[in-house]
Amino acid sequence: MVGLIGYLMVGAALLGIGIFGALSRRNILSVLIGIELMFNAANINFVAFNRYLHPGQPWGQGFAVFVIALAAGEAVVGLALVLAIYRNFKTVLAENLDLLKG
């Protein structure tokens, strides 16, 4: 049986991988995947805390469903932006996007 610490360790590992992926990658799609990993780390923590601190209460799962819906919306808007950027610049590398530079 895995305890609360095990779930928190998995959540922390996912959060670290997500932060590293979002900050170190040049490809915009990789940055979006890193952000999704951070959302999933939050979901694991919500469900784990709900399971061990308030068993039988639906708040952790409710917040997890809310975060899943938020992540789906973020993915849709992000992928639409990536598609628009690719159509205009023919690249998805963040360092090549200098539209706002003066």
Side-chain angles (χ1 to χ4, degrees):
M1 177 105 180
V2 178
L4 179 61
I5 298 298
Y7 290 111
L8 294 180
M9 295 296 285
V10 171
L14 272 180
L15 181 69
I17 293 169
I19 289 172
F20 177 75
L23 295 179
S24 67
R25 294 295 189 160
R26 298 182 309 165
N27 190 333
I28 296 173
L29 292 174
S30 298
V31 173
L32 286 175
I33 291 171
I35 292 170
E36 293 293 327
L37 284 177
M38 288 189 272
F39 280 134
N40 287 328
N43 282 339
I44 288 174
N45 286 337
F46 280 138
V47 173
F49 277 118
N50 184 50
R51 166 76 169 84
Y52 287 99
L53 297 181
H54 302 288
Q57 298 292 324
W59 296 109
Q61 287 90 356
F63 277 120
V65 169
F66 176 73
V67 171
I68 289 170
L70 190 70
E74 177 263 340
V76 168
V77 172
L79 290 176
L81 287 172
V82 168
L83 187 61
I85 288 170
Y86 183 75
R87 284 183 179 168
N88 287 330
F89 295 103
K90 302 296 182 205
T91 184
V92 291
L93 298 178
E95 64 188 12
N96 294 337
L97 303 175
D98 57 356
L99 182 64
L100 296 179
K101 286 184 179 176

